[in-house]
Amino acid sequence: MFNTNSEPISSVVVTDEGDSVCELKSLAVSPQYQRKGYGKQMVDFLCKRYADKFKYMIVGTGESMDTISFYKNCGFTFSHVVPDFFTDNYDHPIIENGIILKDMVYFRKELSV
């Protein structure tokens, strides 16, 4: 997603996880555009874009309530937790909104055409 000057507003990666599941990874919105609806617009666009190819979209995130609330507001529901994901896969603490992340929390959304 770009603004009128062709500067990026947001970026994301979507991967094919098999079994009719795609995963949304690394959603980012430029700081000056955060909390203005662009992240939700991107997620909504991707859900529509991939609905004819996949049945479900999943997303994993840390235990930050801001991020969890964002994905719930986008229509995702809790799926499962991968314990110690951040502590096992990174050689340094991952901190989001002042919280040291430990577990990866996954959410899922059914895509419809």
Side-chain angles (χ1 to χ4, degrees), residues 39-79:
K40 185 167 183 341
Q41 283 181 30
M42 177 64 90
V43 172
D44 290 345
F45 167 79
L46 293 170
C47 288
K48 290 175 188 163
R49 166 73 173 82
Y50 289 104
D52 63 340
K53 295 179 177 73
F54 299 97
K55 184 172 182 176
Y56 297 102
M57 180 177 284
I58 61 171
V59 62
T61 187
E63 305 102 322
S64 167
M65 286 312 297
D66 287 344
T67 310
I68 289 172
S69 294
F70 170 77
Y71 286 114
K72 285 183 175 181
N73 286 337
C74 289
F76 287 81
T77 57
F78 175 78
S79 175

Side-chain angles (χ1 to χ4, degrees), residues 9-110:
I9 293 174
S10 64
S11 66
V12 67
V13 173
V14 178
T15 59
D16 182 343
E17 300 299 307
D19 295 326
S20 296
V21 175
C22 63
E23 183 171 353
L24 188 149
K25 296 182 179 187
S26 302
L27 174 63
V29 176
S30 297
Q32 68 268 33
Y33 295 106
Q34 291 177 0
R35 301 197 176 277
K36 296 182 179 180
Y38 292 107
K40 185 167 183 341
Q41 283 181 30
M42 177 64 90
V43 172
D44 290 345
F45 167 79
L46 293 170
C47 288
K48 290 175 188 163
R49 166 73 173 82
Y50 289 104
D52 63 340
K53 295 179 177 73
F54 299 97
K55 184 172 182 176
Y56 297 102
M57 180 177 284
I58 61 171
V59 62
T61 187
E63 305 102 322
S64 167
M65 286 312 297
D66 287 344
T67 310
I68 289 172
S69 294
F70 170 77
Y71 286 114
K72 285 183 175 181
N73 286 337
C74 289
F76 287 81
T77 57
F78 175 78
S79 175
H80 63 283
V81 172
V82 178
D84 302 314
F85 177 88
F86 292 100
T87 53
D88 288 348
N89 292 288
Y90 293 90
D91 63 357
H92 60 281
I94 303 298
I95 302 171
E96 187 173 307
N97 295 330
I99 298 169
I100 297 175
L101 302 181
K102 180 181 173 210
D103 301 333
M104 177 79 80
V105 182
Y106 274 91
F107 292 87
R108 181 176 86 158
K109 181 174 181 174
E110 186 170 358

